[in-house]
């Protein structure tokens, strides 16, 4: 979402609508796939004013891995997100955001990165040393009462759990 538009990631492409219009009327939504591929998108997020969306072929076909692409909205047009351009990724879903952090759900966990650099800050992949593939369903990132960054993970196998980051990477 930006100041005037709202975006939707769908299995057939990205859509855009004016926030001032009735969003429940399909005629107010326009197909926004002029500069990006048509096909499955697994999320769109706003991280400190930078809009990211993910073209995710792997979300529709698990045999396709390393071919997903993050795009950012630059000057009202989608373009490959510069820090990740050309890097093969497998992204099942765009996850939680917090301040300058955004996250992606991959096959084994939650990858948390800095929006300004694309550098990974955390890759949460295990629960008490045990790994399960493709079971992470959702996440939340925030600060706890002590000021430490806290990650909540909803996992189909391990349930709801919380972990912390006590230092800067």
């Amino acid at each position: 979402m930006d100041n005037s538009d709202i975006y939707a990631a769908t299995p057939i492409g990205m859509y855009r609508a004016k926030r001032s219009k009735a969003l429940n009327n399909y005629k107010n939504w326009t197909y926004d796939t002029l500069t990006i591929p048509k096909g499955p998108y697994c999320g769109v997020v706003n991280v400190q004013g930078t809009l990211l969306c993910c073209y995710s072929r792997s979300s529709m076909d698990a045999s396709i891995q390393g071919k997903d692409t993050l795009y950012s909205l630059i000057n009202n047009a989608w373009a490959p997100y510069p820090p990740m351009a050309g890097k093969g990724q497998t992204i099942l879903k765009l996850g939680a955001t917090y301040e300058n952090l955004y996250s992606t759900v991959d096959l084994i966990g939650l990858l948390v990165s800095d929006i300004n650099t694309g550098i990974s800050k955390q890759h949460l992949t295990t629960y008490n040393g045990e790994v399960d593939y493709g079971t992470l369903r959702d996440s939340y990132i925030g600060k706890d009462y002590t000021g430490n960054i806290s990650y909540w993970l909803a996992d189909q196998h391990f349930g709801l759990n919380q972990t912390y980051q006590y230092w800067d990477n």
Side-chain angles (χ1 to χ4, degrees), residues 88-107:
Q89 303 173 76
T90 301
I91 301 172
L92 303 179
K93 173 183 173 177
L94 284 179
T97 66
Y98 178 73
E99 293 179 349
N100 62 317
L101 302 175
Y102 71 94
S103 63
T104 58
V105 175
D106 62 17
L107 292 172

Side-chain angles (χ1 to χ4, degrees), residues 44-82:
V44 59
V45 294
N46 184 337
V47 188
Q48 290 188 329
T50 299
L51 288 173
L52 291 179
C53 73
C54 181
Y55 175 63
S56 178
R57 293 173 54 197
S58 65
S59 67
M60 300 298 276
D61 184 350
S63 69
I64 300 173
Q65 295 183 16
K67 306 242 188 238
D68 299 341
T69 306
L70 281 175
Y71 290 93
S72 59
L73 192 65
I74 301 170
N75 297 323
N76 214 27
W78 294 105
Y81 173 53

Side-chain angles (χ1 to χ4, degrees), residues 8 15 106 124 138 140 154-155:
Y15 283 84
D106 62 17
L124 307 168
D138 211 348
Y140 171 79
D155 190 281

Side-chain angles (χ1 to χ4, degrees), residues 7 39 72 124 137 148 152 159 167:
Y7 298 84
S72 59
L124 307 168
R137 296 297 176 246
N148 291 315
W152 286 88
W167 62 88

Side-chain angles (χ1 to χ4, degrees), residues 4-166:
S4 62
D5 294 333
I6 189 167
Y7 298 84
T10 75
I12 61 170
M14 290 295 300
Y15 283 84
R16 171 192 305 218
K18 294 289 180 197
R19 291 178 61 199
S20 59
K21 300 282 186 176
L23 299 177
N24 61 345
N25 183 345
Y26 73 94
K27 292 179 182 180
N28 291 329
W29 289 86
T30 57
Y31 201 45
D32 192 33
T33 317
L34 294 176
T35 58
I36 52 178
K38 296 177 181 176
Y41 285 80
C42 66
V44 59
V45 294
N46 184 337
V47 188
Q48 290 188 329
T50 299
L51 288 173
L52 291 179
C53 73
C54 181
Y55 175 63
S56 178
R57 293 173 54 197
S58 65
S59 67
M60 300 298 276
D61 184 350
S63 69
I64 300 173
Q65 295 183 16
K67 306 242 188 238
D68 299 341
T69 306
L70 281 175
Y71 290 93
S72 59
L73 192 65
I74 301 170
N75 297 323
N76 214 27
W78 294 105
Y81 173 53
M84 305 306 260
K87 295 183 181 178
Q89 303 173 76
T90 301
I91 301 172
L92 303 179
K93 173 183 173 177
L94 284 179
T97 66
Y98 178 73
E99 293 179 349
N100 62 317
L101 302 175
Y102 71 94
S103 63
T104 58
V105 175
D106 62 17
L107 292 172
I108 61 169
L110 187 73
L111 179 64
V112 181
S113 302
D114 185 305
I115 189 68
N116 301 307
T117 62
I119 294 173
S120 170
K121 294 297 197 178
Q122 291 284 314
H123 196 186
L124 307 168
T125 59
T126 64
Y127 178 75
N128 290 336
E130 190 176 343
V131 177
D132 204 351
Y133 295 91
T135 60
L136 183 62
R137 296 297 176 246
D138 211 348
S139 62
Y140 171 79
I141 305 170
K143 284 194 177 178
D144 70 4
Y145 69 96
T146 65
N148 291 315
I149 293 180
S150 174
Y151 303 93
W152 286 88
L153 305 172
D155 190 281
Q156 180 179 338
H157 181 120
F158 302 116
L160 181 64
N161 58 79
Q162 180 183 27
T163 188
Y164 292 95
Q165 174 183 331
Y166 292 101

